[in-house]
Amino acid sequence: MFIRTRFHFKWLLWIALALLIGGCQPDPTPRNLLEKAHDRWIDGHSHSAVELFRAVLEVSPQGPFAEEALFRLGEIHYFDLDEHEKALNYFHDVAKRNPKGPLAYESRKYIAEIVELNIKDLDQAIIEYQNLINHNERPEENPEHQFRIASIFFKKHNYDQALMELEILLENYPRSEWAERAYFRMMEILFSLKKCDEARTRYAQFQNTFPHSDFEGDMEFIMASCLEEEGELDLAHERFKALEGSYRYPALIKMKLEGLEQRIKKGGRSKRKIHRSRRKN
């Protein structure tokens, strides 16, 4: 009885697939099902594509066809259906089935991204990005993973650890495009910690390494902000003025200049509080 029921179910499945694919006879080969599933997905029929990819798993539960079906199911649930937990499960399945397979690395990247941005488990995200670095399958992408780790510590307000992770990036990948970003993020952190002297040192290193960087304007903005924070209002105004017309946020430059001009007219008082013991001096 069980055998007949199972056979009946399989027969109904092939009929349903035939109707879904649009042919007269069912064609359950995994390659054809994958092609039809891709076509349905490209045409915007995500739910139909999901059914076809699942059919691939019915016909071929193991091997490369199954791995691709699982990977595509993860992408559909991630990008189209916003079902992040399901997507995570599919990507985990791909990486577990064939850790050295052609889709394992991309699956692990998706896992790290989903855990960080959607699940928001920042501690686990650090582990996932570090695993990507440790596997070292694509060394050229390791600087980005290292930067993500530093950025997560920045999100967690663990600025000292964020600086350490950025330092690792600069030591291991000094000429990568992510090194430019690392210098900029370092200077942001140092400014927020009121460590402008260290920020200036990093800025000099940055200029020597990347003399024509797109981040030059942002760095100059931080340097001008340091002068403002230190009470060097005339120098800060001069530095902000030099960015006028070239900085990507002109309204911000205008606001800074107007604020400095008002403070200079009032006597140039610094916003920084002076400790009671030093006020007489």
Side-chain angles (χ1 to χ4, degrees), residues 61-73:
Q62 301 294 331
F65 292 119
E67 290 169 25
E68 183 172 354
L70 288 166
F71 184 78
R72 301 307 174 194
L73 283 167

Side-chain angles (χ1 to χ4, degrees), residues 42 67 78 89 110 117 122 160 206-207 234 267 278 280:
I42 291 170
E67 290 169 25
Y78 182 26
N89 291 334
Y110 279 136
L117 302 178
L122 299 184
D160 289 335
F206 166 79
Q207 287 180 309
D234 291 324
R278 297 175 58 195
K280 290 182 180 181

Side-chain angles (χ1 to χ4, degrees), residues 102-113:
L103 297 173
Y105 177 82
E106 291 297 332
S107 293
R108 284 192 287 269
K109 279 182 65 176
Y110 279 136
I111 289 168
E113 185 177 311

Side-chain angles (χ1 to χ4, degrees), residues 139-148 169 173 176 178-179:
E140 70 278 7
E141 295 187 14
N142 285 347
E144 180 181 357
H145 304 324
Q146 184 64 39
F147 185 82
R148 293 305 321 152
L169 193 159
Y173 321 102
S176 75
W178 292 95

Side-chain angles (χ1 to χ4, degrees), residues 3-246:
I3 295 175
R4 290 183 61 188
T5 303
R6 187 172 179 180
F7 176 79
H8 181 66
F9 171 77
K10 290 288 186 182
W11 177 246
L12 290 176
L13 177 63
W14 303 142
I15 293 175
L17 287 174
L19 294 173
L20 186 62
I21 293 171
C24 297
Q25 296 295 326
D27 187 357
T29 59
R31 187 181 299 279
N32 288 336
L33 288 174
L34 276 174
E35 290 176 359
K36 293 294 183 182
H38 278 294
D39 291 341
R40 297 297 287 172
W41 187 21
I42 291 170
D43 291 340
H45 302 288
S46 299
H47 292 284
S48 298
V50 166
E51 294 304 317
L52 285 166
F53 282 124
R54 286 176 178 169
V56 174
L57 298 175
E58 285 283 342
V59 176
S60 179
Q62 301 294 331
F65 292 119
E67 290 169 25
E68 183 172 354
L70 288 166
F71 184 78
R72 301 307 174 194
L73 283 167
E75 288 189 313
I76 292 174
H77 282 87
Y78 182 26
F79 294 111
D80 296 356
L81 305 180
D82 291 326
E83 295 177 341
H84 305 123
E85 291 285 357
K86 286 186 178 181
L88 202 59
N89 291 334
Y90 282 122
F91 291 131
H92 272 300
D93 200 351
V94 175
K96 184 178 179 181
R97 284 178 179 230
N98 189 0
K100 297 293 184 181
L103 297 173
Y105 177 82
E106 291 297 332
S107 293
R108 284 192 287 269
K109 279 182 65 176
Y110 279 136
I111 289 168
E113 185 177 311
I114 292 170
V115 170
E116 178 193 359
L117 302 178
N118 304 108
I119 308 299
K120 299 187 185 302
D121 186 345
L122 299 184
D123 291 331
Q124 185 61 37
I126 291 170
I127 294 172
E128 299 295 345
Y129 283 118
Q130 190 62 56
N131 284 339
L132 283 167
I133 294 172
N134 294 341
H135 277 88
N136 201 37
E137 292 181 49
R138 297 185 190 172
E140 70 278 7
E141 295 187 14
N142 285 347
E144 180 181 357
H145 304 324
Q146 184 64 39
F147 185 82
R148 293 305 321 152
I149 291 172
S151 296
I152 291 170
F153 279 113
F154 183 80
K155 287 181 185 179
K156 288 162 62 69
H157 305 290
N158 188 342
Y159 300 123
D160 289 335
Q161 188 64 41
L163 287 171
M164 288 179 62
E165 299 296 339
L166 292 168
E167 188 67 48
I168 290 171
L169 193 159
L170 293 178
E171 288 178 4
N172 294 339
Y173 321 102
R175 292 288 179 176
S176 75
E177 62 176 300
W178 292 95
E180 293 183 70
R181 297 171 184 264
Y183 275 115
F184 176 54
R185 180 54 56 84
M186 272 184 158
M187 288 181 62
E188 282 186 311
I189 295 172
L190 291 169
F191 172 71
S192 68
L193 296 176
K194 302 187 185 303
K195 295 181 177 181
C196 282
D197 286 340
E198 290 185 41
R200 290 185 181 95
T201 300
R202 288 297 181 181
Y203 185 41
Q205 293 171 352
F206 166 79
Q207 287 180 309
N208 289 333
T209 309
F210 302 103
H212 305 293
S213 174
D214 292 335
F215 288 96
E216 182 69 28
D218 296 303
M219 302 290 205
E220 277 292 322
F221 187 93
I222 293 175
M223 290 292 92
S225 298
C226 274
L227 289 169
E228 179 185 10
E229 184 68 19
E230 293 167 340
E232 301 287 349
L233 303 187
D234 291 324
L235 292 175
H237 185 277
E238 181 181 339
R239 205 141 185 178
F240 279 122
K241 189 71 174 177
L243 289 171
E244 200 172 30
S246 61

